[in-house]
């Protein structure tokens, strides 16, 4: 059984988009994935996204994705929402991944906007609708035009929200005005997909976070959220400001690269990256250590 959810928080409030650990020779590290998943849930995550972009989904096989979902479910599935990233730019392939994730026991699906082929809004509507029709699982949309090339327009979000299984949106659009209108009009549960905007998005109606820095600072993210929900905006702002060096440092370059480097510094499962991602340079590693220390992260 997945943890209890509500229409307002269908996947909980604090989720981390989990990296995929690899062994030294680049193979899938399922034992490491289970240990990392347990660590993240122990730290306070309500859920984990597996096989998202932070999980290096572009360079893992369908079989590896399935193995990873099953392993993480085995490790934490009775304590956290395990949401499977299934998004591609090929609707047929995405539907196959969605059905496999459902058979494997995933609690929900994360569906990113099709990237590179730049479909029109009607194409996005049909793509996401097909995903929602393909299984009985709840779906979180993932709107990240900086990577996909195409935003999900507010009108499209409103149309998609009419589907009973499209229940949430991960917002990495970076536009608080458009987010405000989309939250008000769609009624979707809204998750910040941009760590620097976690607090501002709460102020316009977001219910929680899908975080990368949650690998390192989940307790602080929970404290920020709980302070805000309790009406203590001053405390929430203070936590936000303390985390600014972490937010900045973790995104000086691609987030998977810095996350794996930071986890390695903490002795947690991570392993190498798959090309085209590459390790930090010594200078970048030194800067990351300084940034994390400035944000209070113990290394």
């Amino acid at each position: 059984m997945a943890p209890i959810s509500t229409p307002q928080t269908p996947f909980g409030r604090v989720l981390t988009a989990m990296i995929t650990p690899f062994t030294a020779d680049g193979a899938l590290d399922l034992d490491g994935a289970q240990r990392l998943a347990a660590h993240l849930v122990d730290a306070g995550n309500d859920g984990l996204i597996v096989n998202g972009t932070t999980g290096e989904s572009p360079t893992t096989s369908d079989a590896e994705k399935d193995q990873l979902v099953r392993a993480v479910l085995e490790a934490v599935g009775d304590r956290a929402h395990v949401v499977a990233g299934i998004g591609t730019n090929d609707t047929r392939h995405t539907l196959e991944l969605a059905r496999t994730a459902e058979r494997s026991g995933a609690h929900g699906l994360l569906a990113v906007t099709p990237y590179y082929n730049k479909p029109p809004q009607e194409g996005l509507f049909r793509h996401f609708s097909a995903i929602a029709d393909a299984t009985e699982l709840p779906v979180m949309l993932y709107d990240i035009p900086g990577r996909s090339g195409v935003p999900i327009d507010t009108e499209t979000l409103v149309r998609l929200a009419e589907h009973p299984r499209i229940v949430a949106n991960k917002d990495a659009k970076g536009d608080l005005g458009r987010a405000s209108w989309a939250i008000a009009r769609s009624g979707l549960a809204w998750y910040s997909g941009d760590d620097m905007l976690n607090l501002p998005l709460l102020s316009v109606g977001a219910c929680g976070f899908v975080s990368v820095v949650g690998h390192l600072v989940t307790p602080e993210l929970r404290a920020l959220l709980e302070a805000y929900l309790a009406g203590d905006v001053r405390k929430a702002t203070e936590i936000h400001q303390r985390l600014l060096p972490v937010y900045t440092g973790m995104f000086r370059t691609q987030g998977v690269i810095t996350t794996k480097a930071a986890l390695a510094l903490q002795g947690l499962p991570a392993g190498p990256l798959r090309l085209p991602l590459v390790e930090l340079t010594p200078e970048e590693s030194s800067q990351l250590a300084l940034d994390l220390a400035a944000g209070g992260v113990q290394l």
Side-chain angles (χ1 to χ4, degrees):
M1 289 291 291
I4 294 172
S5 63
T6 71
Q8 294 75 33
T9 58
F11 303 105
R13 290 193 182 275
V14 179
L15 299 89
T16 290
M18 197 177 97
I19 59 110
T20 298
F22 297 129
T23 61
D25 62 358
L28 192 63
D29 180 4
L30 293 175
D31 176 68
Q34 291 188 317
R35 287 187 286 121
L36 180 60
H39 167 79
L40 292 172
V41 174
D42 289 344
N45 281 285
D46 301 317
L48 300 172
I49 308 288
V50 297
N51 296 326
T53 315
T54 307
E56 294 180 74
S57 59
T59 53
T60 57
S61 69
D62 290 3
E64 287 175 324
K65 289 177 172 65
D66 184 40
Q67 290 176 301
L68 188 64
V69 169
R70 291 175 183 273
V72 172
L73 280 163
E74 183 179 298
V76 301
D78 60 343
R79 297 197 292 137
H81 300 273
V82 178
V83 181
I86 48 85
T88 74
N89 61 352
D90 173 358
T91 303
R92 287 186 299 174
H93 186 196
T94 295
L95 300 186
E96 292 171 7
L97 292 173
R99 293 178 182 124
T100 299
E102 182 180 42
R103 287 194 296 270
S104 300
H107 303 137
L109 305 174
L110 178 73
V112 72
T113 313
Y115 39 84
Y116 188 73
N117 41 18
K118 299 185 78 170
Q121 293 299 308
E122 182 62 24
L124 296 186
F125 176 77
R126 295 187 195 182
H127 173 82
F128 289 126
S129 297
I131 294 167
D133 287 339
T135 79
E136 296 299 316
L137 296 177
V139 175
M140 180 189 294
L141 308 174
Y142 182 12
D143 185 11
I144 182 163
R147 288 183 185 235
S148 69
V150 178
I152 311 176
D153 287 350
T154 299
E155 295 296 334
T156 306
L157 287 162
V158 172
R159 289 177 71 197
L160 289 167
E162 295 176 4
H163 197 294
R165 284 187 290 279
I166 296 178
V167 298
N169 183 51
K170 176 185 174 185
D171 181 5
K173 192 176 276 173
D175 188 325
L176 293 171
R178 292 169 81 177
S180 299
W181 274 113
I183 292 168
R185 294 188 55 212
S186 72
L188 291 169
W190 212 260
Y191 291 85
S192 170
D194 184 344
D195 278 307
M196 186 67 85
L197 296 183
N198 285 344
L199 178 57
L201 277 166
L202 289 179
S203 75
V204 298
C207 69
F209 318 136
V210 175
S211 175
V212 173
V213 303
H215 284 92
L216 306 171
V217 292
T218 288
E220 290 82 356
L221 293 178
R222 288 212 72 91
L224 184 159
L225 181 72
E226 289 164 5
Y228 185 85
L229 294 175
D232 194 344
V233 178
R234 182 186 297 274
K235 180 179 179 182
T237 303
E238 289 171 353
I239 297 169
H240 168 75
Q241 291 175 349
R242 287 203 303 272
L243 289 174
L244 289 175
V246 180
Y247 295 155
T248 299
M250 288 291 284
F251 295 102
R252 287 186 189 274
T253 186
Q254 208 270 0
V256 184
I257 297 173
T258 50
T259 301
K260 284 198 163 182
L263 290 173
L265 289 171
Q266 293 188 319
L268 290 165
L273 299 136
R274 288 184 177 174
L275 286 170
L277 300 184
V278 294
E279 284 71 22
L280 294 178
T281 66
E283 294 78 13
E284 289 171 331
S285 294
S286 297
Q287 182 62 59
L288 177 62
L290 290 171
D291 292 326
L292 295 179
V297 176
Q298 299 296 313
L299 299 175

